[in-house]
Amino acid sequence: MTVLAIDVGGTNLRAALVDRGIVRQRTHAPTEPAKVGAAVENLVAGLLNRCPELQPLAVGIGLPEYVQDGRTTSNEVVDWTASDADRISRAVRAATGAEVPVVVEADVRCGAVAEHSALDDPQRDSLLYVSWGTGLSSALVFPGGQVWTGARGEALALGEWRDDVGHRLEDIASGRGIEHAYLESTGELLDAVAIHARALAGDAVASELFQRSGRALGRAIRNLVQVLDPHVVVLGGGLGSSDHLGRAALLAELAELSAGPARPGFPPVQPARTGTDAGLLGAAIVAERAAQRHAPG
């Protein structure tokens, strides 16, 4: 079953034709938040016209926004409306001649579903997925693969948590937060990759920002685990899937918080098995489920 998966990130747009979890063809472009619908349409048209032998049966789109029942209820990161889903549907119809279902979901829930499907025993185990990248969010997946969306589609707002002085966790721990904090401290506008390179070269400001990021997120994960008690914690996104000073600080913070007389058995904390493709592969799973629902008979 071939489907079209689209992962709209705060930094990059990615689209792929996926067949049973295997990416057959892919393409990407930088994200322009105010023009994201047109950019995704162009990506889709180019990909489908380049691969006419791969006919998708459905489209799954992961967005970095609040989503409820297939509708976005925010536009905090990208400017996306229901008409953009319609234009993707038209682009598929123009390239293939077929009318296929188009499903929109929050990108963090796509990543969570992909990682849950990669567990050794997804029928038995639950999973807490933390997307740590340009932004910061989380999702809980129950045994069997059902992701908890919440009553209003907002069970993903980890980045909105605030510390004792009112700072949002996303402003402290996300890649965007690190970049803004570094700009405020030094007057230099750099991306998180360049800031981390500075940290490794001895830049004390850069080093402290990454370590502060990891410590803060470690405390938040500890709180989530105490409430939700998942079998596994998975770190996804660009920062969650890679080694860096912030990740080391996060693991050290968790080790310290989990030591002592507290109840034993803190769940394993591991990087995403699907790496930075988690959102893309999750969008493919969302599309596959839609195709199965719409299959004749």
Side-chain angles (χ1 to χ4, degrees):
M1 176 191 295
T2 299
V3 296
L4 175 60
I6 300 166
D7 182 20
V8 178
T11 304
N12 292 297
L13 308 175
R14 299 190 298 164
L17 289 162
V18 182
D19 184 7
R20 295 173 178 84
I22 299 173
V23 175
R24 298 300 185 185
Q25 293 287 340
R26 68 168 74 215
T27 186
H28 63 89
T31 300
E32 296 182 62
K35 303 176 182 178
V36 69
V40 172
E41 181 182 17
N42 290 335
L43 275 186
V44 166
L47 182 62
L48 293 177
N49 289 331
R50 192 170 74 242
C51 309
E53 73 283 3
L54 297 174
Q55 299 282 303
L57 297 180
V59 181
I61 305 173
L63 294 173
E65 299 291 348
Y66 291 108
V67 177
Q68 182 181 27
D69 299 327
R71 297 181 300 103
T72 54
T73 58
S74 68
N75 59 351
E76 297 176 7
V77 181
V78 295
D79 185 10
W80 181 274
T81 66
S83 64
D84 290 314
D86 292 337
R87 72 195 299 171
I88 303 308
S89 179
R90 290 195 297 271
V92 174
R93 186 170 62 247
T96 68
E99 194 81 49
V100 302
V102 176
V103 182
V104 173
E105 183 54 279
D107 59 352
V108 65
R109 292 200 281 262
C110 290
V113 166
E115 281 300 305
H116 186 267
S117 70
L119 291 177
D120 294 335
D121 192 351
Q123 292 303 312
R124 185 188 72 87
D125 290 344
S126 58
L127 178 146
L128 172 63
Y129 180 78
V130 177
S131 180
W132 187 15
T134 303
L136 183 65
S137 54
S138 65
L140 177 68
V141 187
F142 298 121
Q146 182 65 39
V147 64
W148 173 243
T149 62
R152 296 170 297 279
E154 298 187 5
L156 51 78
L158 177 60
E160 297 299 320
W161 283 19
R162 295 183 181 269
D163 63 16
D164 293 340
V165 294
H167 297 134
R168 293 193 318 156
L169 184 59
E170 184 161 306
D171 294 335
I172 297 170
S174 72
R176 186 186 297 112
I178 291 171
E179 291 163 3
H180 289 173
Y182 192 79
L183 175 62
E184 288 184 356
S185 296
T186 68
E188 291 189 81
L189 179 59
L190 300 175
D191 64 24
V193 174
I195 296 169
H196 190 255
R198 292 251 180 122
L200 294 178
D203 184 322
V205 171
S207 177
E208 172 54 26
L209 288 175
F210 268 89
Q211 293 187 56
R212 182 183 72 156
S213 166
R215 291 192 301 268
L217 184 53
R219 290 190 293 273
I221 289 173
R222 173 62 176 174
N223 290 337
L224 276 174
V225 167
Q226 286 180 319
V227 173
L228 301 175
D229 194 21
H231 289 91
V232 182
V233 177
V234 171
L235 300 176
L239 290 172
S241 301
S242 59
D243 288 327
H244 52 85
L245 294 175
R247 179 179 172 80
L250 181 152
L251 296 176
E253 186 75 14
L254 284 176
E256 181 178 340
L257 291 171
S258 303
R263 295 172 66 88
F266 197 86
V269 179
Q270 58 197 39
R273 293 187 180 185
T274 55
T276 55
D277 272 348
L280 197 65
L281 294 175
I285 292 173
V286 168
E288 288 172 1
R289 292 174 178 175
Q292 291 165 357
R293 288 195 301 271
H294 288 80

